[in-house]
Amino acid sequence: MINVAIIEDNDSDYNFLSDNIDKYSKEKACEFSISRYVSALKFLSEYKADADIIFMDIELPDINGVEASEKLRLIDENVPLVFITNIAHLAIKGYGVSATDFIVKPVNYYKLQVLLTKLIKLINAKSDDMLSVQAGHYLERIRLSDINYIEIEAHKITYHTFTKDVVTYGSMNALEKSLPLDKFYRCYQSYIINLKHVISYDGENITMKNDVILPVSRSKRKEIMTRLSKLYLNGGS
């Protein structure tokens, strides 16, 4: 299921786009769930970073699509964003908010078909490097490569990324199963590290990026050296 949000105040434009997505869905046997918003502010107030694709009209009644997208990027940095516009040159403003593409009204089905195929490939490529975390009332999507280390205290789990800390609750067993074992390692009872972000290891403590120093359990010192050696022999990937 691919979750699509369409922010479009014009009924006929929305129906036309929605019908064409439905047509693509039937042709490609690809299931979509579409949510519609006529107000950018309402969309932003309700958005929980749970969309796979966002179609944003540039000309909206409350704030325009570019302003809305600037606010969106504070909530969700990675979701593919497509501008919908009557005037092609307005879409150039999308580069400032990392828009993936734009479509000009009225929607041309062939161009939409090509765009959706590209977006689905992008979503599938990213899915292996994304982790969905329930943080309070919000579903946070964290890029695995952005995680420096994870700290666990009782059932409280803190993902320390390079832009923010994301706090959730769960079990250690479930957490470890959700992470790729070739990239993450539990170096101590309370810490799981991203092996790619290790700066140095002195046999007792490990230094991560941002000068974070973490202890390594005595029983894991040999294994972590093996893991690091294997990682760097493979070029850090």
Side-chain angles (χ1 to χ4, degrees):
M1 178 73 74
I2 296 173
N3 296 316
V4 176
I6 300 176
I7 300 86
E8 171 62 77
D9 63 312
N10 184 286
D11 289 341
S12 62
D13 288 338
Y14 166 76
N15 290 332
F16 197 74
L17 176 58
S18 177
D19 288 346
N20 277 283
I21 293 174
D22 186 55
K23 180 180 178 181
Y24 179 92
S25 173
K26 291 173 181 175
E27 287 182 358
K28 304 294 184 181
C30 182
E31 197 170 353
F32 292 86
S33 174
I34 298 175
S35 300
R36 186 218 181 164
Y37 298 85
V38 298
S39 159
L41 291 177
K42 181 173 175 59
F43 163 70
L44 291 168
S45 69
E46 296 180 1
Y47 185 56
K48 296 180 173 61
D50 52 359
D52 296 303
I53 302 170
I54 293 176
F55 289 94
M56 179 80 72
D57 187 17
I58 288 184
E59 297 174 277
L60 291 164
D62 41 18
I63 60 173
N64 67 52
V66 176
E67 291 177 278
S69 298
E70 289 171 351
K71 297 179 185 298
L72 168 68
R73 286 305 184 210
L74 298 176
I75 305 169
D76 191 337
E77 298 176 352
N78 302 306
V79 63
L81 172 65
V82 179
F83 277 132
I84 313 168
T85 179
N86 286 311
I87 307 170
H89 74 77
L90 291 179
I92 199 167
K93 296 180 180 179
Y95 292 110
V97 289
S98 302
T100 308
D101 214 323
F102 71 94
I103 51 178
V104 178
K105 301 177 184 180
V107 176
N108 176 285
Y109 177 67
Y110 174 75
K111 290 183 179 179
L112 179 65
Q113 184 184 48
V114 172
L115 174 58
L116 285 173
T117 300
K118 180 178 80 171
L119 291 171
I120 290 169
K121 287 181 180 178
L122 184 65
I123 292 165
N124 290 337
K126 286 183 175 180
S127 63
D128 291 338
D129 189 41
M130 297 297 289
L131 186 68
S132 295
V133 174
Q134 190 69 43
H137 297 296
Y138 295 93
L139 185 68
E140 292 268 2
R141 289 184 177 184
I142 307 173
R143 193 176 296 281
L144 292 177
S145 55
D146 288 341
I147 299 172
N148 195 23
Y149 69 101
I150 305 167
E151 185 175 1
I152 304 98
E153 183 180 354
H155 291 288
K156 179 183 177 182
I157 300 169
T158 304
Y159 294 84
H160 297 278
T161 77
F162 295 109
T163 56
K164 60 183 176 180
D165 291 345
V166 178
V167 178
T168 187
Y169 294 86
S171 71
M172 171 61 80
N173 289 338
L175 172 60
E176 288 191 285
K177 287 177 182 177
S178 70
L179 298 168
L181 297 178
D182 60 328
K183 296 178 181 177
F184 289 85
Y185 186 68
R186 187 178 177 185
C187 67
Y188 197 75
Q189 182 178 359
S190 305
Y191 300 106
I192 295 175
I193 60 169
N194 186 333
L195 294 166
K196 289 183 69 175
H197 299 319
V198 172
I199 299 299
S200 63
Y201 173 50
D202 64 9
E204 294 184 3
N205 297 298
I206 202 152
T207 301
M208 307 297 296
K209 286 184 178 178
N210 292 347
D211 297 322
V212 175
I213 299 175
L214 302 175
V216 178
S217 298
R218 185 182 297 273
S219 62
K220 299 191 175 186
R221 291 174 184 173
K222 184 176 180 180
E223 174 65 16
I224 201 167
M225 181 62 78
T226 301
R227 293 285 192 98
L228 289 170
S229 298
K230 185 181 294 185
L231 180 72
Y232 292 118
L233 282 173
N234 291 332
S237 60

